[in-house]
C-alpha cells in the first residue's frame, strides 16, 4: 500500500511574533538614547523621547498621534448630521408632488378636498409626516415614498443602536417589524432582570441569544459584554443627538414615532436607553462634536461617526502614554489600523517590540538610589559608537592612518582583525585559511587561493602599562556653550579604547566644577549639568596625582579638558574657595599640583575649548611647567584629539 503524499500550505504567520524574523536591531536606538542621556535627559525620558520621535524606518508616537488627529478632523470637516432629516424631507416633497399631479386632472369634489388637506399640512417635516399617517394616497409613488419614510426612520433608529441592522432590514416586512419589537421587549426584560440581580441571569441570557442572536454579530459571551456593546453604541447615538441643534433633535423625536408606522419601536428604544444609562453611567452620554462638512450622514452613519471619534480619542490617549503605568502594549492595534491604516499598525508594533527589546536585553539598570540608568552593556555599545567616530576622524587626517590598533610588537591578546595596509602584526593563519575556504565555497567551489581580503592579523597588547587620568570640566559654561555632549562622548571613546585594546591600563575619570570627584563611566554619562560657580582644576589635578601614585609602575598620563581658567581651589579643611578673576592663591595652588605631577613624570596635555585669551595664557603656562602641551580642537574633533594624544603618549 503506497503512502499518501503529504500536503503543505504556506501563508503569513499569525500566531504571535514571527519566530524566524531577524532580531530587532537596537544599535541606532541605543545611540539615540545615549545621546539624549549624555545631553542631560534621564534614561526613562530618553526612552520615551525615542518612542515619540521614532526611528528612520518607523514612525514615532508623535507622528501616529498626528495621523489620529488628522483623521478626527477629516470626519468633522467632511460630514454633517442632518442626513436622515434631509432624506425624509426629500421623500416627503416627492410624495406630495406626485399626489398633487395625480389629483389635478380629477374634477371631483373629493380630489379638491384632498388638495385642500395637502395645502393645510404644517410646514415642519415631522408634523407633516404625522398628519399624513391616516391619509389615503391616490398616487402610487406618493404612497411608496411615504412608506419608505417610515421604513427609513425605523432602519436608521435601529442602526443608531445596533450596528448592521439597516442592511439586515433593507426589505422590511410586517413580520420583520414584529420580530424587532419582540427582540427589544425581551432585551429590556433581560436588562431589567440583570439590574434587579436575578440569580438565573446566565440562563436568561443564553435563551435570549438563542432566540435573537442574529441581531448581535458581535457574539457577546455574557450579559456584561452585551451591555458593553449596547451602551457604547447608545452613548454614541446620544452624543450625535447632542451635536445637533435643538430644532433638529425635536424634529427627530417626533419622526421617531412614525418609525415602521409603529410607535412601539420608539418607546422600546427609549426604555433601552434609560436602562443602559443606569447600567453604564461611566459612558460618555453628554459630550458633543461640531460637524461642518457638506456630506450628510444618516442616524446610523452619524452614530458610527461618533463611535469613530470616541475610538480616535481613546487612541490619542493611548499614544500619549501620559497616564500611570502606560505601555505601548496598551495601544489598540486593530482600532489604529481601522482608523488610520495598516501602516500605522505596523509602526506601532515595531515601536512596542523596540521598547520590549530595550527593556528585555538589559540596557537599563537600577542605580543604588533607585533611579534608572544605562547598564554596562548599553555603555559598551555607546563606547563602540563613540570610538568608531573617533577612529573615522583620525583616519581622515592627512598623512595619518588608523591609530586605534592595539600597538606594535607585544603580547597577543587572543583577538584578530582584518589586515589593513601598514599593519606589522603577525598573520592569524587559521583565520586567514578559514576565510579563504568560506569565500571559495560561497563562489561555487574550486581551488582555494588566498586573497588579500582573507588575511587577518593577530592583535597584540603593548607590554607597557599606563595610568591615565582624564579630567573633564563640568562647570556650567560647558553646558551653556554646547560642550557637554562632546565631552561625554570623548570620555566614552577613551574608556572604550582602554577597556578593549589596552586592558592593563588604569583609567580614572575625574569631573571638576566647584569641586572635583572621581566617577565611574555610568555616573559621568548620566551627569546633569548644574549651575555652580567655580572651575577647580587644583582639586582635579590633586585627584589625578593620587590615581597616578596608586600605579607607580605605570606610565603616568594626565589629560585635561576645560573651557575656563581656574577660579576655585581646595583649602586644607576641604572647603573650595571661589574667586573671579582667579586669585593669586588659586593660581599658586593649581601650579603647585602641576609641579607635583611633573615630578612623577606625568605627560600633561590640556585640551582648551574656546578662545578666551586669559584661558589660553594660563594653559600655556601649565604646559610649560609640566613639560606637556596644549591642544585647541573644535568640538567635533575633541574625541579624536584626546584619543590621539593618549596613543601618542603611550608610544612615547
Amino acid at each position: 500500500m503506497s503512502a499518501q503524499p503529504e500536503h503543505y500550505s504556506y501563508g503569513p504567520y499569525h500566531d504571535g511574533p514571527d519566530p524566524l524574523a531577524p532580531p530587532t536591531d537596537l544599535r541606532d536606538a541605543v545611540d539615540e538614547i545615549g545621546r539624549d542621556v549624555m545631553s542631560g535627559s534621564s534614561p526613562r525620558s530618553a526612552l520615551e523621547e525615542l518612542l515619540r520621535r521614532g526611528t528612520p524606518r518607523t514612525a514615532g508616537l508623535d507622528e501616529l498621534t498626528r495621523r489620529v488627529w488628522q483623521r478626527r478632523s477629516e470626519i468633522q470637516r467632511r460630514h454633517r448630521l442632518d442626513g436622515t432629516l434631509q432624506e425624509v424631507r426629500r421623500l416627503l416633497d416627492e410624495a406630495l408632488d406626485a399626489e398633487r399631479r395625480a389629483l389635478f386632472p380629477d374634477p371631483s369634489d373629493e380630489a379638491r378636498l384632498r388638495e385642500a388637506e395637502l395645502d393645510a399640512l404644517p410646514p415642519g417635516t415631522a408634523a407633516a409626516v404625522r398628519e399624513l399617517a391616516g391619509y389615503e394616497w391616490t398616487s402610487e409613488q406618493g404612497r411608496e415614498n411615504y412608506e419608505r419614510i417610515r421604513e427609513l426612520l425605523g432602519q436608521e433608529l435601529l442602526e443608531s443602536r445596533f450596528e448592521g441592522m439597516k442592511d439586515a432590514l433593507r426589505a422590511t416586512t410586517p413580520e420583520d417589524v414584529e420580530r424587532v419589537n419582540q427582540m427589544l421587549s425581551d432585551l429590556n426584560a433581560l436588562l431589567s432582570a440583570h439590574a434587579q440581580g436575578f440569580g438565573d441571569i446566565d440562563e436568561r441570557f443564553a435563551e435570549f441569544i438563542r432566540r435573537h442572536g442574529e441581531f448581535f454579530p458581535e457574539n457577546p459571551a455574557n450579559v456584561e459584554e452585551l451591555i458593553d456593546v449596547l451602551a457604547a453604541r447608545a452613548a454614541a447615538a446620544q452624543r450625535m443627538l447632542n451635536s445637533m441643534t435643538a430644532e433638529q433633535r425635536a424634529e427627530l423625536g417626533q419622526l421617531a414615532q412614525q418609525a415602521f408606522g409603529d410607535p412601539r419601536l420608539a418607546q422600546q428604544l427609549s426604555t433601552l436607553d434609560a436602562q443602559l444609562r443606569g447600567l453604564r453611567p461611566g459612558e460618555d452620554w453628554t459630550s458633543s462634536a461640531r460637524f461642518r462638512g457638506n456630506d450628510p450622514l444618516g442616524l446610523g452613519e452619524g452614530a458610527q461617526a461618533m463611535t469613530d471619534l470616541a475610538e480616535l480619542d481613546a487612541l490619542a490617549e493611548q499614544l500619549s502614554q501620559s497616564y500611570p503605568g502606560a505601555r505601548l502594549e496598551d495601544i489598540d492595534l486593530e482600532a489604529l489600523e481601522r482608523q488610520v491604516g495598516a501602516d500605522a499598525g505596523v509602526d506601532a508594533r515595531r515601536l512596542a517590540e523596540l521598547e520590549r527589546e530595550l527593556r528585555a536585553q538589559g540596557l537599563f539598570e537600577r542605580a543604588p538610589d533607585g533611579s534608572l540608568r544605562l547598564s554596562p552593556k548599553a555603555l559598551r555599545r555607546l563606547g563602540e559608537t563613540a570610538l568608531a567616530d573617533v577612529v573615522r576622524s583620525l583616519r581622515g587626517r592627512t598623512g595619518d592612518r588608523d591609530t586605534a590598533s592595539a600597538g606594535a610588537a607585544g603580547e597577543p591578546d587572543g583577538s584578530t582583525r582584518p589586515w589593513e595596509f601598514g599593519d606589522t602584526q603577525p598573520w592569524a593563519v587559521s583565520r586567514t585559511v578559514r576565510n579563504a575556504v568560506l569565500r571559495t565555497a560561497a563562489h561555487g567551489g574550486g581551488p582555494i587561493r588566498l586573497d588579500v581580503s582573507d588575511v587577518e592579523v593577530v592583535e597584540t597588547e603593548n607590554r607597557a602599562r599606563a595610568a591615565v587620568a582624564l579630567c573633564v570640566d563640568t562647570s556650567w559654561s560647558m553646558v551653556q556653550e554646547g560642550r557637554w555632549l562632546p565631552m561625554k562622548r570623548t570620555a566614552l571613546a577613551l574608556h572604550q579604547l582602554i577597556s578593549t585594546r589596552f586592558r592593563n591600563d588604569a583609567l580614572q575619570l575625574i569631573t571638576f566644577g566647584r569641586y572635583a570627584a572621581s566617577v565611574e563611566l555610568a555616573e559621568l554619562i548620566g551627569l546633569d549639568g548644574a549651575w555652580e560657580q567655580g572651575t577647580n582644576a587644583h582639586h582635579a589635578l590633586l585627584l589625578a596625582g593620587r590615581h597616578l601614585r596608586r600605579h607607580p609602575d605605570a606610565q603616568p598620563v594626565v589629560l585635561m579638558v576645560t573651557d575656563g581658567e581656574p577660579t576655585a581651589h581646595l583649602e586644607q579643611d576641604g572647603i573650595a574657595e571661589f574667586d573671579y578673576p582667579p586669585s593669586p592663591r588659586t593660581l599658586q595652588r593649581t601650579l603647585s599640583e602641576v609641579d607635583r605631577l611633573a615630578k612623577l613624570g606625568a605627560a600633561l596635555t590640556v585640551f582648551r575649548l574656546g578662545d578666551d585669551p586669559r584661558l589660553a595664557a594660563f594653559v600655556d603656562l601649565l604646559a610649560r611647567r609640566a613639560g606637556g602641551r596644549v591642544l585647541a580642537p573644535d568640538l567635533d574633533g575633541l574625541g579624536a584629539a584626546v584619543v590621539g594624544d593618549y596613543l601618542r603618549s603611550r608610544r612615547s
Side-chain angles (χ1 to χ4, degrees):
M1 183 176 178
S2 60
Q4 293 294 324
E6 296 186 14
H7 297 280
Y8 301 92
S9 62
Y10 298 89
Y13 186 83
H14 297 297
D15 298 331
D18 185 353
L20 300 181
T24 303
D25 188 351
L26 302 179
R27 290 175 296 180
D28 291 342
V30 174
D31 290 344
E32 290 283 334
I33 291 174
R35 188 176 296 110
D36 287 344
V37 169
M38 288 188 287
S39 297
S41 298
S42 68
R44 184 183 301 280
S45 297
L47 173 59
E48 292 172 353
E49 180 60 27
L50 172 68
L51 297 174
R52 302 224 66 81
R53 194 168 53 231
T55 67
R57 72 186 192 100
T58 304
L61 295 176
D62 283 346
E63 170 60 18
L64 294 178
T65 302
R66 185 194 67 80
R67 295 182 198 173
V68 164
W69 285 114
Q70 182 180 32
R71 168 64 178 152
R72 194 185 197 286
S73 178
E74 286 175 357
I75 293 174
Q76 293 181 268
R77 285 202 317 268
R78 184 178 301 168
H79 302 295
R80 65 174 191 259
L81 297 177
D82 59 350
T84 298
L85 291 175
Q86 280 196 1
E87 182 64 9
V88 169
R89 185 75 247 182
R90 184 187 68 81
L91 291 170
L92 179 61
D93 288 343
E94 290 180 359
L96 294 176
D97 287 344
E99 182 69 6
R100 284 191 173 97
R101 288 196 304 270
L103 292 173
F104 180 75
D106 186 350
S108 67
D109 292 341
E110 179 69 22
R112 302 291 79 76
L113 287 172
R114 292 193 179 189
E115 286 177 341
E117 187 176 350
L118 296 180
D119 292 339
L121 287 174
T125 303
V129 171
R130 183 179 66 250
E131 289 293 325
L132 291 169
Y135 182 79
E136 294 183 7
W137 294 86
T138 302
S139 164
E140 184 65 22
Q141 181 185 352
R143 186 187 62 77
E144 290 178 356
N145 274 27
Y146 188 77
E147 290 302 319
R148 177 69 190 121
I149 289 173
R150 289 179 161 183
E151 288 183 6
L152 176 67
L153 290 170
Q155 292 167 356
E156 291 287 0
L157 278 174
L158 289 173
E159 179 71 12
S160 68
R161 304 306 197 282
F162 305 91
E163 186 176 358
M165 186 72 81
K166 184 176 180 180
D167 291 333
L169 297 176
R170 189 164 296 279
T172 310
T173 65
E175 291 76 15
D176 292 330
V177 175
E178 191 56 40
R179 270 193 315 124
V180 169
N181 275 315
Q182 186 60 53
M183 181 273 291
L184 290 173
S185 176
D186 292 346
L187 177 59
N188 281 320
L190 175 67
L191 298 186
S192 177
H194 175 69
Q196 296 177 52
F198 286 10
D200 61 343
I201 197 64
D202 290 338
E203 292 79 4
R204 290 174 180 247
F205 170 77
E207 177 61 20
F208 175 81
I209 292 297
R210 187 187 66 78
R211 296 181 61 189
H212 307 296
E214 61 185 303
F215 294 104
F216 303 94
E218 302 88 356
N219 294 320
N222 51 53
V223 71
E224 293 293 345
E225 289 188 11
L226 175 64
I227 294 171
D228 288 340
V229 170
L230 294 174
R233 188 73 174 183
Q238 183 59 52
R239 293 195 300 274
M240 175 191 62
L241 293 175
N242 299 343
S243 305
M244 295 179 177
T245 65
E247 293 78 8
Q248 289 172 333
R249 286 196 296 272
E251 198 158 20
L252 278 174
Q254 295 176 42
L255 285 172
Q257 300 299 319
Q258 302 300 319
F260 292 137
D262 188 341
R264 290 181 300 166
L265 178 65
Q267 295 166 5
Q268 295 278 17
L269 289 176
S270 177
T271 301
L272 176 62
D273 288 347
Q275 293 205 80
L276 291 173
R277 275 177 176 264
L279 291 168
R280 291 294 184 270
E283 287 285 348
D284 181 6
W285 300 92
T286 58
S287 69
S288 61
R290 182 169 173 243
F291 289 79
R292 51 193 183 276
N294 295 318
D295 181 22
L297 298 177
L299 295 181
E301 294 168 332
Q304 184 58 51
M306 300 306 296
T307 299
D308 289 341
L309 293 181
E311 193 168 69
L312 288 165
D313 288 342
L315 284 171
E317 182 179 11
Q318 294 161 16
L319 291 169
S320 74
Q321 297 283 285
S322 58
Y323 48 91
R327 299 293 291 267
L328 291 188
E329 286 82 357
D330 299 342
I331 298 173
D332 187 338
L333 297 178
E334 292 183 359
L336 186 64
E337 292 178 351
R338 182 166 55 248
Q339 296 294 345
V340 187
D343 289 346
V346 171
D347 288 333
R349 285 187 181 88
R350 284 177 178 168
L351 290 175
E353 182 181 5
L354 178 62
E355 180 192 39
R356 185 167 54 251
E357 289 299 315
L358 284 170
R359 295 179 184 276
Q361 293 196 18
L363 297 175
F364 303 99
E365 65 178 14
R366 290 289 177 185
D369 62 357
S371 62
L372 199 66
R373 68 182 182 187
L374 296 178
S375 69
K377 182 177 180 179
L379 292 175
R380 284 194 298 272
R381 168 60 196 158
L382 294 176
E384 291 170 1
T385 302
L387 182 57
D389 291 343
V390 166
V391 169
R392 281 193 292 271
S393 180
L394 289 170
R395 284 176 174 169
R397 294 180 179 179
T398 305
D400 285 357
R401 62 187 180 86
D402 185 2
T403 57
S405 62
E411 297 290 342
D413 67 2
S415 61
T416 65
R417 62 175 173 82
W419 176 87
E420 296 180 3
F421 178 77
D423 282 337
T424 59
Q425 288 92 336
W427 283 20
V429 177
S430 61
R431 296 282 300 180
T432 299
V433 173
R434 177 179 177 274
N435 292 341
V437 171
L438 293 176
R439 178 180 53 78
T440 302
H443 289 81
I448 297 175
R449 292 185 174 87
L450 290 181
D451 183 82
V452 68
S453 63
D454 302 324
V455 179
E456 292 196 23
V457 295
V458 176
E459 288 278 33
T460 60
E461 203 168 50
N462 200 318
R463 290 187 181 90
R465 291 182 67 240
V468 186
L470 175 61
C471 306
V472 292
D473 188 345
T474 56
S475 59
W476 179 248
S477 60
M478 291 286 286
V479 179
Q480 195 173 30
E481 299 298 329
R483 297 160 182 159
W484 197 251
L485 181 58
M487 174 270 290
K488 291 185 177 183
R489 288 182 62 82
T490 297
L492 264 173
L494 183 62
H495 184 278
Q496 180 69 14
L497 177 63
I498 291 175
S499 62
T500 57
R501 298 293 184 90
F502 300 99
R503 297 182 184 89
N504 289 332
D505 287 2
L507 172 64
Q508 180 64 67
L509 300 175
I510 299 170
T511 62
F512 63 99
R514 193 181 189 97
Y515 290 89
S518 299
V519 298
E520 296 297 326
L521 180 64
E523 295 177 73
L524 175 60
I525 297 306
L527 185 65
D528 291 334
W531 191 90
E532 63 176 357
Q533 291 181 314
T535 302
N536 200 335
H538 165 246
H539 193 186
L541 294 172
L542 179 66
L543 295 179
R546 291 178 183 173
H547 174 64
L548 301 184
R549 293 184 187 94
R550 284 196 293 269
H551 304 277
D553 59 335
Q555 177 183 350
V557 178
V558 178
L559 310 171
M560 176 178 284
V561 179
T562 185
D563 69 346
E565 56 187 323
T567 55
H569 66 274
L570 205 63
E571 289 290 354
Q572 296 294 332
D573 59 1
I575 301 299
E577 293 291 336
F578 168 78
D579 278 300
Y580 184 83
S583 68
R585 180 160 176 77
T586 295
L587 298 178
Q588 183 270 326
R589 297 276 287 175
T590 304
L591 291 174
S592 67
E593 283 305 319
V594 173
D595 294 338
R596 290 190 180 93
L597 292 176
K599 291 178 182 179
L600 295 175
L604 172 64
T605 303
V606 180
F607 301 89
R608 174 173 57 82
L609 304 179
D611 299 320
D612 179 33
R614 294 172 61 95
L615 170 63
F618 182 77
V619 296
D620 286 342
L621 175 61
L622 286 186
R624 289 196 303 272
R625 291 282 287 259
R629 64 179 188 154
V630 176
L631 297 177
D634 58 26
L635 291 180
D636 290 336
L638 176 61
V642 171
V643 169
D645 192 77
Y646 160 73
L647 294 170
R648 182 195 64 81
S649 299
R650 288 193 102 266
R651 286 196 297 270
S652 63

